[in-house]
Amino acid sequence: DTGVSQDPRHKITKRGQNVTFRCDPISEHNRLYWYRQTLGQGPEFLTYFQNEAQLEKSRLLSDRFSAERPKGSFSTLEIQRTEQGDSAMYLCASSYPSGTSVYEQYFGPGTRLTVT
Amino acid sequence: AQSVTQLGSHVSVSEGALVLLRCNYSSSVPPYLFWYVQYPNQGLQLLLKYTTGATLVKGINGFEAEFKKSETSFHLTKPSAHMSDAAEYFCAVSAPAYSGAGSYQLTFGKGTKLSVIP
């Protein structure tokens, strides 16, 4: 069990540029979640996949945000035309397929985005 | 809709003293409750969870929490603080899938930063 990994760990970009983050979940987990955490706040839910299907999206996920999980394994989160308000830690989590363990989310180390 | 309130954004305790971090929740359905810990520049690690059954749940690193439905609380405790406990702690709530009230997403509180004084 190698844990959830995220790449890159840090990203600095200029306003207006596009950025893409990657998340690799724990191999036997079929559910994958994206959260955003700003300074002084708890993580806020963005979106969730079961296998390759994106089942839920938060209202926080504006049209500039898109997430994919094409083969039900890794996932990408893209932000187009970044704004300074997008600066945050983006966290990925995954969970087991069934039972009450489905509610236990294992988090990656996060990608810290700074928009200048 | 669900929400979590963590009382006290910052708590300081002496090494060896009792740790008590407060969490109150609001949920229209029986909740599933969680505590996570976050060390600087790291992701979140699950400390413990309550889903069903015994209301006193034990977690890793000597932490435990008690689900009190009448008080809508899920406070986190540890009898004796250690320097390595210094971190930020988040309480979270989820709605069981059978309730039809939502997905598997977690709703987090704003966190409590724990400092341990030597």
Side-chain angles (χ1 to χ4, degrees):
Chain A
D1 184 347
T2 57
V4 178
S5 61
Q6 292 186 247
D7 184 68
R9 293 291 307 277
H10 303 274
K11 179 71 177 179
I12 300 174
T13 191
K14 292 185 177 179
R15 186 164 51 98
Q17 297 294 304
N18 298 344
V19 294
T20 300
F21 311 140
R22 176 178 170 127
C23 171
D24 286 87
I26 294 171
S27 58
E28 60 266 33
H29 289 185
N30 72 335
R31 296 171 191 270
L32 186 147
Y33 312 79
W34 285 98
Y35 291 84
R36 182 176 72 183
Q37 185 178 22
T38 53
L39 204 60
Q41 302 294 320
E44 296 172 292
F45 172 77
L46 292 178
T47 190
Y48 139 69
F49 291 85
Q50 181 173 328
N51 299 312
E52 64 275 11
Q54 187 173 19
L55 296 186
E56 190 164 341
K57 293 194 288 187
S58 160
R59 282 173 288 182
L60 291 176
L61 212 67
S62 75
D63 291 345
R64 298 184 296 106
F65 287 69
S66 64
E68 294 183 343
R69 194 182 184 200
K71 297 181 180 179
S73 57
F74 72 92
S75 175
T76 58
L77 178 67
E78 181 183 15
I79 309 174
Q80 296 183 326
R81 305 180 303 282
T82 52
E83 301 172 357
Q84 288 189 321
D86 297 330
S87 295
M89 175 80 88
Y90 290 84
L91 294 164
C92 176
S94 66
S95 67
Y96 284 102
S98 61
T100 56
S101 294
V102 74
Y103 298 95
E104 293 181 19
Q105 295 184 19
Y106 293 79
F107 283 81
T111 294
R112 182 169 295 284
L113 173 66
T114 303
V115 181
T116 62
Chain B
Q2 300 174 301
S3 65
V4 172
T5 302
Q6 292 186 239
L7 295 176
S9 59
H10 196 166
V11 170
S12 292
V13 299
S14 297
E15 191 174 15
L18 171 72
V19 175
L20 171 61
L21 305 181
R22 299 179 186 274
C23 171
N24 288 88
Y25 69 90
S26 173
S27 178
S28 56
V29 298
Y32 287 177
L33 295 159
F34 307 82
W35 275 99
Y36 282 85
V37 61
Q38 186 176 35
Y39 296 97
N41 298 313
Q42 294 187 27
L44 284 76
Q45 181 184 10
L46 180 65
L47 279 177
L48 51 78
K49 69 175 184 183
Y50 168 78
T51 53
T52 58
T55 56
L56 180 64
V57 292
K58 296 185 185 299
I60 61 171
N61 302 336
F63 285 94
E64 62 182 38
E66 186 170 12
F67 169 57
K68 292 188 176 180
K69 182 179 178 181
S70 61
E71 298 177 8
T72 61
S73 70
F74 190 58
H75 302 329
L76 182 70
T77 60
K78 181 173 181 178
S80 176
H82 191 272
M83 295 298 293
S84 61
D85 295 327
E88 191 154 22
Y89 293 79
F90 292 93
C91 181
V93 63
S94 180
Y98 68 79
S99 70
S103 69
Y104 300 89
Q105 65 176 273
L106 294 170
T107 300
F108 287 87
K110 292 188 176 183
T112 297
K113 186 167 288 188
L114 175 67
S115 298
V116 181
I117 304 165

